[in-house]
Amino acid sequence: MQLFAICMTFIGSLFLVFSLKPTRYLSHESSQPGWKPLYGLIVIFILGYLGFIYYLLFHYQHFIIYSVFTLIFFLGGLFVFMVTRLSIESYKNIVNIAKETEYKSLHDSLTGLPNRKHFLMKISSLITKSNPFTLFSLDLNNFKQVNDALGHYYGDKLLIEIAQNISKKLDGLSILFRTGGDEFMVILKDSDDVFYSDIIERIHSAFNETYQIMHYSIESSVSVGATKFPNDSNNLDTLIKYVDLAMYVSKKTKSKCVFYRDELNEDATEKLAICGRLRNAIATNEFQLYFQPLLECHSKKLHGAEVLIRWPQLDGSFIAPDIFIPIAEKAGLIQNITQWVIGEAVIQLNQLDKHGFSGALHINLSAKDLNTESLFDLLINQLKNTPLLAGRLILEVTESAMMLDLTCSKTMMLRLAEYGFTFSIDDFGTGFSSLSLLRELPIDQIKIDRSFVQYMDSVKTDHAIVNSAIFLAKNLGCTVVAEGVENSALESELEKLNCDYLQGYYYSEPIPLTDFIAQYCK
Ligand code: C2E
Ligand code: CA
Ligand code: CA
C-alpha cells in the first residue's frame, strides 16, 4: 500500500509539473497578473508533494489517513493540470476570435483585399515613420455600366476577378487595397522612377485580357492617378485628395497614369470658379445657341442642324461646352441648362421656319436629363404650344448617358417616343457599345463619333468600324450621321459606304442663327 500511496502522490506531482508550462505561457502572454503568483504556488506545491513522498518512504503508518491524503494530492494535481490546460485552450480561442475579428475589420469581405481602414492605418504609419512612398489610386472605367447592364451579381464577380488579377500582377511588389466600390489603392514603398513605370505597366496588364464572367466576355480598363510622399505633401488627407484628383485627370484624358502636379489643383480651383459663375449665367441669360448643319450625303442638301450651346465671355472668348457641361452636371445645374436650350431652340426654330427651314434640330441631352421628370414635363409643355414640334426635334443621347440608369432611361425614352420624339445615339462607338441597346430602346439614328470618322481614310480599323456601324444601323432601320467630316476624301468615302447624313467642319463650323439663316435658308 505504501508503494501505491507514493505512486499516486508522484503522479499528482507530475500533473503539477505539466501545469507549469501552460501557466508560464499564460503568465507571459495574458495581461492577467494572477498567473505569475500561481506559477510560484505550483512550484511550492510540487516541492510539498516531493516532501510528502519523502515522508511516506520512511513513516508509512496510518493507512486510511495517508490514503485519503494521497487521493487528495492526486486529485489536486489533476485539478490544477485540467484548469491550466482548459485556461490555455480558452485563451487561444479568444485570441483566435480576436485575430479573426481584427482581420475582418481590416479586409474587404468581397475580394479579401485589405480595406480602406487598413489603408488609412498603413499610410498613417508610413507618414509617422517618414518612410517615403508613392500612392496610386485606381478606378475602373465603365464598371457602373457593367453593374447596370448585367446586375450586381456579375459586377461583384468581375470585381473579384479583377482584384485577384491585379494582385497577381503586382506579385507582392506593392500593397493593393480595395478602398471603395470599384476603387483601389496601391502603396509602393521607397521606389525609384524605373520602378513606377513597372508598377503602372503591371496594373494595366491586368486589363489587357477579357474577363469571362459566366457566358459574358467583359473588357475593362482602369484610370490611374499617383502622388508621392513626402514630395507632394506630408498630410494624409491632402495626399488622398491629390491622388484622387490625378486619377480623375487620368480618366478624363484617358492617360495610363497621371502624377499629381500643382497645375491639377489649379484646374480644380478654376472649375470651382466656373461652377460659381454658372448659376449666375443661367439667371442672366449669358448663353447663346450656335447651329451646325447636317447635310444629306448624296444630294448635299441641308437636312437639319445640331444646336450647340455657347458661353461667351466679356473678353470675346468662349468657355467650351466640354468644360462647363460636366461641371453643370456635377453641380446639379444641367436641367436648367437643358431647359434653357430647349426653350431657346423652339423659339429659334420658329425664326428658321420663317426663312424656309423645314429640317429638324438636334438637341444634346445630358446624362442626367433622362433620369428626371422635368425633361418630360418640359417637352410635353412645348408640344401644347407647337403640336408638330416632336417631329422637328431629334434628341441626341450618348450611350454612357443611357447606361447611367438603363431602366429609367428606357422608360423616359419610350414615353417621349409615344409623343413622336425621336432619338439619336451621339458619339456612337465610344461608350459601352451594347448592341442590345439598339434593339431595346426607341433609337432612330446613330451618330458615328468623329474619332472614327476623322482617320477612316488612313486607319483600316476605323474604316472597318464606320463600315460595320453603317451596315448594322441600316439593318436595324436606323439612319446614320457621320460626325467630324473635315475633308473631301472623307466625304467621298462616306458616300461610298452609303452613309445618310454628314456633319463637320468641311461644310461648316457651328455658327450663330443669323449666319445660319444667311448661308442655308432662302
Ligand atoms: P457633340 O454633341 O459631339 O458635338 C459635336 C462637337 O463636335 C461640337 O463641339 C462641334 O463643334 C464639334 N465638331 C463638329 N464638326 C467637327 C469637325 O469636323 N471636327 C472637329 N474636330 N470637331 C467638330 P462643341 O460645340 O464644342 O460641343 C462639344 C460637346 O459639348 C458636344 O459634343 C456635346 O456633348 C456638348 N454640348 C454642346 N452643346 C450642348 C447642349 O446644348 N447641351 C448639352 N447637354 N451638351 C452640349
Ligand atoms: Ca451631339
Ligand atoms: Ca457627337
Side-chain angles (χ1 to χ4, degrees):
M1 279 326 281
Q2 186 188 17
L3 185 64
F4 176 74
I6 290 172
C7 281
M8 290 291 276
T9 314
F10 182 69
I11 296 172
S13 69
L14 280 184
F15 278 134
L16 287 180
V17 170
F18 288 130
S19 309
L20 282 174
K21 202 177 163 199
T23 314
R24 196 179 146 82
Y25 174 85
L26 287 166
S27 66
H28 278 155
E29 295 294 319
S30 144
S31 54
Q32 181 56 251
W35 291 106
K36 275 202 176 87
L38 185 70
Y39 186 83
L41 277 177
I42 295 175
V43 173
I44 293 170
F45 267 89
I46 294 170
L47 292 176
Y49 274 42
L50 294 178
F52 186 65
I53 292 171
Y54 179 77
Y55 179 81
L56 284 179
L57 280 173
F58 301 105
H59 305 91
Y60 190 78
Q61 292 160 0
H62 306 289
F63 168 71
I64 303 213
I65 298 173
Y66 286 177
S67 298
V68 171
F69 273 125
T70 306
L71 193 66
I72 291 173
F73 285 156
F74 173 78
L75 291 177
L78 181 64
F79 173 76
V80 172
F81 176 72
M82 284 177 69
V83 167
T84 51
R85 288 304 321 169
L86 289 175
S87 300
I88 202 165
E89 288 306 320
S90 310
Y91 177 78
K92 282 183 177 168
N93 271 347
I94 292 168
V95 168
N96 281 344
I97 292 170
K99 274 189 185 156
E100 208 175 297
T101 314
E102 194 195 2
Y103 183 89
K104 278 186 183 157
S105 81
L106 293 177
H107 288 79
D108 164 45
S109 57
L110 185 71
T111 59
L113 289 178
N115 62 13
R116 186 170 184 83
K117 187 175 165 196
H118 199 158
F119 162 72
L120 293 173
M121 279 167 62
K122 182 80 199 169
I123 203 170
S124 310
S125 124
L126 289 173
I127 292 174
T128 315
K129 291 181 199 153
S130 296
N131 281 348
F133 63 87
T134 305
L135 179 62
F136 295 90
S137 167
L138 280 55
D139 191 279
L140 304 188
N141 301 327
N142 294 338
F143 178 70
K144 192 179 174 333
Q145 282 90 328
V146 173
N147 243 351
D148 287 349
L150 305 180
H152 288 262
Y153 177 75
Y154 291 113
D156 283 354
K157 285 209 165 303
L158 178 67
L159 268 184
I160 295 170
E161 293 226 354
I162 288 178
Q164 284 172 349
N165 205 5
I166 305 176
S167 283
K168 202 169 84 193
K169 302 279 180 192
L170 289 176
D171 200 19
L173 294 170
S174 46
I175 321 166
L176 176 69
F177 302 81
R178 181 179 175 222
T179 48
D182 61 345
E183 293 154 23
F184 298 85
M185 290 277 184
V186 172
I187 299 178
L188 176 65
K189 283 192 249 171
D190 230 354
S191 51
D192 57 31
D193 280 347
V194 182
F195 208 41
Y196 299 143
S197 45
D198 180 38
I199 290 293
I200 296 162
E201 282 308 322
R202 281 168 185 266
I203 293 170
H204 282 286
S205 69
F207 296 85
N208 288 344
E209 50 210 79
T210 306
Y211 286 89
Q212 205 63 41
I213 305 292
M214 306 298 274
H215 50 278
Y216 295 103
S217 296
I218 301 173
E219 277 182 19
S220 191
S221 60
V222 67
S223 302
V224 184
T227 187
K228 291 180 200 167
F229 167 81
N231 311 37
D232 294 335
S233 168
N234 49 17
N235 175 286
L236 187 147
D237 291 337
T238 314
L239 283 169
I240 294 178
K241 185 180 132 198
Y242 285 176
V243 79
D244 282 340
L245 191 60
M247 186 275 295
Y248 284 124
V249 177
S250 145
K251 196 175 275 287
K252 210 170 150 206
T253 53
K254 298 193 167 75
S255 324
K256 267 196 159 172
C257 177
V258 169
F259 273 81
Y260 172 79
R261 43 187 201 276
D262 287 340
E263 299 94 274
L264 302 186
N265 210 8
E266 283 155 20
D267 272 6
T269 318
E270 195 186 317
K271 276 189 189 152
L272 212 65
I274 292 181
C275 183
R277 290 183 45 220
L278 258 179
R279 283 172 214 279
N280 199 36
I282 296 166
T284 53
N285 217 357
E286 288 177 29
F287 299 111
Q288 289 176 9
L289 287 187
Y290 272 40
F291 297 78
Q292 188 178 31
L294 275 85
L295 304 183
E296 278 171 21
C297 185
H298 293 287
S299 67
K300 306 291 172 316
K301 281 190 187 147
L302 181 70
H303 169 70
E306 177 169 3
V307 173
L308 294 153
I309 193 166
R310 293 289 176 265
W311 187 9
Q313 303 299 296
L314 289 175
D315 62 2
S317 66
F318 290 89
I319 299 181
D322 279 338
I323 305 270
F324 71 83
I325 294 285
I327 298 176
E329 283 176 345
K330 281 203 191 103
L333 296 170
I334 194 68
Q335 271 99 311
N336 306 33
I337 293 187
T338 305
Q339 192 166 6
W340 180 85
V341 170
I342 293 178
E344 197 65 15
V346 172
I347 296 170
Q348 302 200 1
L349 182 62
N350 273 327
Q351 290 286 316
L352 284 164
D353 284 355
K354 283 182 192 149
H355 291 86
F357 178 78
S358 59
L361 290 184
H362 290 238
I363 308 276
N364 288 289
L365 293 185
S366 132
K368 296 208 172 116
D369 287 322
L370 284 178
N371 304 333
T372 56
E373 198 57 25
S374 60
L375 175 76
F376 184 79
D377 295 342
L378 175 71
L379 287 170
I380 303 308
N381 259 338
Q382 293 284 358
L383 275 189
K384 285 180 192 149
N385 305 329
T386 325
L388 295 179
L389 184 70
R392 305 287 305 281
L393 291 188
I394 296 179
L395 305 171
E396 292 195 4
V397 196
T398 60
E399 289 155 294
S400 42
M402 287 186 269
M403 298 300 288
L404 203 64
D405 183 338
L406 189 58
T407 328
C408 201
S409 308
K410 187 176 171 182
T411 317
M412 174 63 80
M413 288 169 80
L414 287 170
R415 281 167 74 199
L416 287 171
E418 268 181 39
Y419 284 85
F421 289 101
T422 49
F423 291 91
S424 177
I425 304 191
D426 203 357
D427 305 342
F428 185 81
T430 56
F432 181 75
S433 304
S434 160
L435 296 180
S436 61
L437 280 185
L438 291 173
R439 196 188 54 201
E440 282 184 36
L441 300 173
I443 288 156
D444 304 274
Q445 183 177 78
I446 66 162
K447 289 187 83 174
I448 306 174
D449 190 66
R450 64 170 184 266
S451 59
F452 301 112
V453 174
Q454 266 169 346
Y455 306 106
M456 61 176 281
D457 52 345
S458 52
V459 181
K460 262 187 175 176
T461 45
D462 285 358
H463 189 279
I465 290 171
V466 174
N467 191 11
S468 316
I470 295 175
F471 177 79
L472 175 82
K474 298 237 161 173
N475 277 299
L476 289 164
C478 296
T479 56
V480 184
V481 180
E483 299 183 321
V485 183
E486 291 187 353
N487 54 53
S488 62
L490 291 174
E491 181 189 75
S492 29
E493 202 50 48
L494 287 157
E495 265 177 45
K496 274 190 224 153
L497 296 181
N498 237 347
C499 184
D500 296 298
Y501 308 111
L502 306 175
Q503 177 183 359
Y505 292 171
Y506 181 54
Y507 310 103
S508 167
E509 290 192 7
I511 44 178
L513 180 77
T514 42
D515 295 353
F516 188 85
I517 291 174
Q519 287 181 37
Y520 293 97
C521 306
K522 310 236 157 52

